[in-house]
Amino acid sequence: MIRARTTDRAIQAFLPARQTIAAAKRAGLSVGDYLDQYSAEPQVTAAAVQALLQMSALGNEVDRVCEIGPGSGRYAEKIIEVLRPSAYEIYETASDWLPYLRRLPNLVEHPADGHTLSATATSSVDLVQAHKLFVYIPFVTTVGYLEEMARVVRPGGIVAFDIVTEACLDEQATKTWVAENAVIYMVTPRNWTVQLLDRWGLDLVGSHFEPLSGGRTELLVFRKRRD
């Protein structure tokens, strides 16, 4: 983690853009491929996006997508390539990544306060997602974002995000994180999360485990009920 311009842990930056882009170039890799190797394993981003799309079965219904904390844009690139939305909304607090993100097609850049999706209308997006974000930010901030995601997604639309759940905490992972003093990771209870989103009108349609620096996260995919 690098020093940010705020003490709000919900909007601190993690990987500096200029150094990361330069390191990827030296390695002869795209930024997305470089980050996959840096933080987990090759092709993990592509596998997560493929799993999300298979579980969501969005087909050609997608017009607007919203992503919280796209960072380098490695998930956005793959989602846009397949779904080709007419608008790709982002909320990114790391200002150094914004110039790099602006190359994405049909980008709609919203002011980010690190807590809300205030510029996105209620029931207006087909897919709202967050990747490798709730793993790091405070629990109460995650809950606030979940409520916002439930608000902005249209009936029949998809909410997708990954968290460190109880199922991710096997003995090897916990030993590794304790040994490495990995205090940056936040745990979010799975059953509690599923029940919370159910009360907000979202049904769990599937999940997928993803590698995360000595452990793993669980990608959860929900569909908003039409009734």
Side-chain angles (χ1 to χ4, degrees):
M1 187 180 294
I2 64 169
R3 187 174 300 277
R5 297 177 182 176
T6 175
T7 58
D8 188 339
R9 292 181 62 200
I11 60 177
Q12 289 181 359
F14 287 86
L15 290 173
R18 185 170 61 181
Q19 292 93 319
T20 303
I21 294 167
K25 186 176 182 180
R26 288 194 298 271
L29 298 170
S30 69
V31 170
D33 287 346
Y34 171 77
L35 288 174
D36 277 358
Q37 293 192 17
Y38 174 86
S39 61
E41 61 184 44
Q43 300 302 311
V44 66
T45 300
V49 169
Q50 182 179 21
L52 188 164
L53 294 174
Q54 287 178 343
M55 289 184 282
S56 63
L58 281 168
N60 297 320
E61 305 172 28
V62 176
D63 180 50
R64 302 188 73 87
V65 174
C66 179
E67 183 174 357
I68 311 168
S72 67
R74 56 182 170 138
Y75 291 92
E77 290 172 342
K78 297 188 182 304
I79 288 288
I80 290 171
E81 182 181 357
V82 176
L83 298 181
R84 301 187 181 279
S86 62
Y88 197 94
E89 302 183 25
I90 65 165
Y91 289 83
E92 179 54 67
T93 60
S95 58
D96 60 332
W97 277 107
L98 290 174
Y100 188 76
L101 289 169
R102 287 174 186 141
R103 77 195 196 289
L104 293 171
N106 302 320
L107 187 73
V108 180
E109 179 186 327
H110 290 311
D113 61 15
H115 297 273
T116 69
L117 307 178
S118 58
T120 301
T122 298
S123 301
S124 65
V125 301
D126 304 289
L127 166 64
V128 56
Q129 59 182 338
H131 301 277
K132 299 299 176 290
L133 175 64
F134 300 158
V135 171
Y136 301 108
I137 64 177
F139 174 74
V140 293
T141 306
T142 293
V143 176
Y145 270 136
L146 292 178
E147 186 171 13
E148 282 285 80
M149 294 170 91
R151 176 184 67 82
V152 304
V153 71
R154 65 163 174 81
I158 296 295
V159 171
F161 55 87
D162 67 312
I163 52 178
V164 177
T165 65
E166 305 94 316
C168 302
L169 298 176
D170 58 34
E171 185 175 3
Q172 183 57 55
T174 51
K175 281 184 176 181
T176 299
W177 287 348
V178 168
E180 296 178 355
N181 193 32
V183 295
I184 61 173
Y185 298 135
M186 302 291 169
V187 177
T188 304
R190 187 187 198 275
N191 289 340
W192 180 90
T193 301
V194 172
Q195 292 169 11
L196 178 70
L197 269 63
D198 176 69
R199 293 197 294 274
W200 291 340
L202 291 114
D203 297 320
L204 181 67
V205 297
S207 68
H208 168 78
F209 288 106
E210 305 177 33
L212 175 72
S213 300
R216 62 182 183 173
T217 67
E218 187 173 4
L219 173 68
L220 301 178
V221 179
F222 296 80
R223 187 181 305 278
K224 189 170 187 178
R225 293 192 286 272
R226 295 180 184 274
D227 50 36

